[in-house]
Amino acid sequence: MGKLTTHVLDTMHGRPAAAMAVRLYRLGDGPGLEAQLIKSLQLNADGRADAPLLEGEALQAGRYRLVFGVAAYFRARGEVLPEPAFLDEVPLDFGIADPGAHYHVPLLASPWSYSTYRGS
């Protein structure tokens, strides 16, 4: 059964990004089509969603976007960031070609940089 999961590591402090806000959107198939919000959540103490973001029949082939609240997370931990922050919300657009597979989309983030990859 396919599923979509995520987690975030705070690379500035070397720990999971507990309580970071995340939103998941399904993207339209053509130009000018709106993104549809599917889910909003806060990550748990391990920097992960408590359950898969999508799984089973809810996971369909198509284009998606995860939006991570990076600046709000670091400000909530007492970091003084410029206004506007260098990284505010980080959007990651990705595709799901095989809804029967596990798609894991991690984010490694600091106030100044981020990286991602297809995890396992």
Side-chain angles (χ1 to χ4, degrees):
M1 174 167 58
K3 63 182 175 179
L4 171 63
T5 58
T6 191
H7 81 272
V8 180
L9 297 176
D10 170 347
T11 58
M12 182 177 191
H13 299 105
R15 63 182 179 210
M20 182 180 282
V22 179
R23 297 186 316 272
L24 172 65
Y25 296 87
R26 171 138 176 131
L27 301 178
D29 293 327
L33 294 178
E34 296 288 321
Q36 176 187 8
L37 179 64
I38 297 173
K39 188 173 286 195
S40 293
L41 62 127
Q42 283 195 324
L43 300 177
N44 64 23
D46 196 32
R48 298 176 182 273
D50 287 328
L53 302 175
L54 295 172
E55 64 183 326
E57 292 182 12
L59 183 64
Q60 300 175 3
R63 296 181 318 123
Y64 294 85
R65 174 177 295 147
L66 281 166
V67 180
F68 299 90
V70 171
Y73 164 81
F74 283 105
R75 284 186 174 124
R77 271 129 199 89
E79 295 301 324
V80 177
L81 302 179
E83 189 58 50
F86 180 70
L87 294 177
D88 185 6
E89 292 192 320
V90 171
L92 296 179
D93 291 1
F94 60 96
I96 294 192
D98 178 4
H102 180 189
Y103 285 80
H104 184 66
V105 183
L107 181 74
L108 287 71
S110 81
W112 314 108
S113 67
Y114 68 91
S115 65
T116 190
Y117 55 94
R118 181 171 175 191
S120 58

